[in-house]
């Protein structure tokens, strides 16, 4: 899979699978492409899937120039918090999880460049999602 994020995006990312009014499946080479909007929430018609971090690619994109920059994503859930960001294109990914909404599975994680972000705390992430569920999944 390829994930495309708006330039300098930091925050929650939700991919809501199996959505009737969601985006169609997009392929590029052998990759499914998921273009995350500025809201961080992408609804797609694609059925839910398992992810393999070794087979995922992350990019930022510029709407005006259509230029992409490959991102180096550091999975904190697997290595702890000992790795520090030293390059402009590096981000931490935290909280990779599946969550149900309306009996459907959704992929939820956070991208940040801040090692001290409150989203680094699992309890905070879970509480945040629970408190903002309607807002996060709103169709407005």
């Amino acid at each position: 899979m390829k994930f495309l994020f708006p330039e300098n995006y930091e925050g929650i990312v939700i991919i809501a699978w199996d959505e009737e009014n969601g985006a169609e499946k997009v392929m590029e080479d052998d990759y499914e492409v998921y273009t995350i909007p500025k809201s961080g929430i992408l609804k797609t018609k694609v059925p839910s899937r398992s992810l393999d971090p070794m087979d995922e690619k992350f990019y930022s994109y510029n709407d005006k120039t259509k230029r992409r920059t490959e991102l180096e994503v550091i999975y904190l859930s697997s290595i702890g918090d000992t790795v520090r960001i030293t390059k402009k294109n590096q981000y931490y990914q935290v909280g990779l999880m599946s969550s149900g909404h309306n009996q459907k599975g959704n992929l939820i994680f956070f991208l940040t460049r801040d090692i001290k972000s409150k989203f680094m705390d699992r309890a905070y992430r879970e509480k945040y999602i629970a408190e903002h569920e309607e807002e996060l999944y709103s169709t407005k």
Side-chain angles (χ1 to χ4, degrees):
M1 283 188 233
K2 285 184 183 179
F3 296 95
L4 307 179
F5 301 95
E7 268 186 335
N8 302 312
Y9 182 80
E10 289 189 62
I12 191 168
V13 177
I14 298 175
I15 298 179
W17 308 108
D18 297 310
E19 293 291 326
E20 186 176 312
N21 295 321
E24 296 288 343
K25 183 176 185 177
V26 175
M27 296 295 295
E28 188 175 280
D29 301 317
D30 291 333
Y31 289 93
E32 290 179 22
V33 178
Y34 295 92
T35 303
I36 308 301
K38 290 178 183 179
S39 69
I41 302 170
L42 174 67
K43 295 179 181 185
T44 179
K45 291 181 179 180
V46 176
S48 75
R49 36 199 44 13
S50 298
L51 300 180
D52 179 359
M54 300 308 289
D55 195 34
E56 296 169 12
K57 295 190 179 289
F58 297 84
Y59 298 87
S60 67
Y61 67 88
N62 181 300
D63 265 340
K64 292 179 183 173
T65 65
K66 304 299 181 203
R67 186 175 150 227
R68 291 184 190 175
T69 302
E70 188 164 4
L71 302 177
E72 182 181 331
V73 175
I74 301 165
Y75 300 93
L76 286 184
S77 57
S78 63
I79 61 169
D81 64 356
T82 59
V83 176
R84 297 290 185 249
I85 286 178
T86 59
K87 301 175 195 166
K88 186 178 179 183
N89 72 328
Q90 290 179 313
Y91 284 80
Y92 298 116
Q93 178 183 346
V94 293
L96 182 63
M97 66 180 99
S98 180
S99 172
H101 180 74
N102 295 335
Q103 278 44 58
K104 296 179 182 179
N106 296 296
L107 174 66
I108 302 173
F109 61 90
F110 296 85
L111 275 187
T112 184
R113 291 182 46 81
D114 183 2
I115 192 71
K116 295 181 181 187
S117 168
K118 52 192 164 193
F119 288 109
M120 294 294 185
D121 177 54
R122 181 183 182 105
Y124 179 84
R125 291 190 306 266
E126 291 173 355
K127 181 179 177 202
Y128 178 90
I129 291 166
E131 290 176 350
H132 295 87
E133 185 174 37
E134 288 307 314
E135 172 189 346
L136 293 172
Y137 295 105
S138 169
T139 56
K140 295 178 184 176

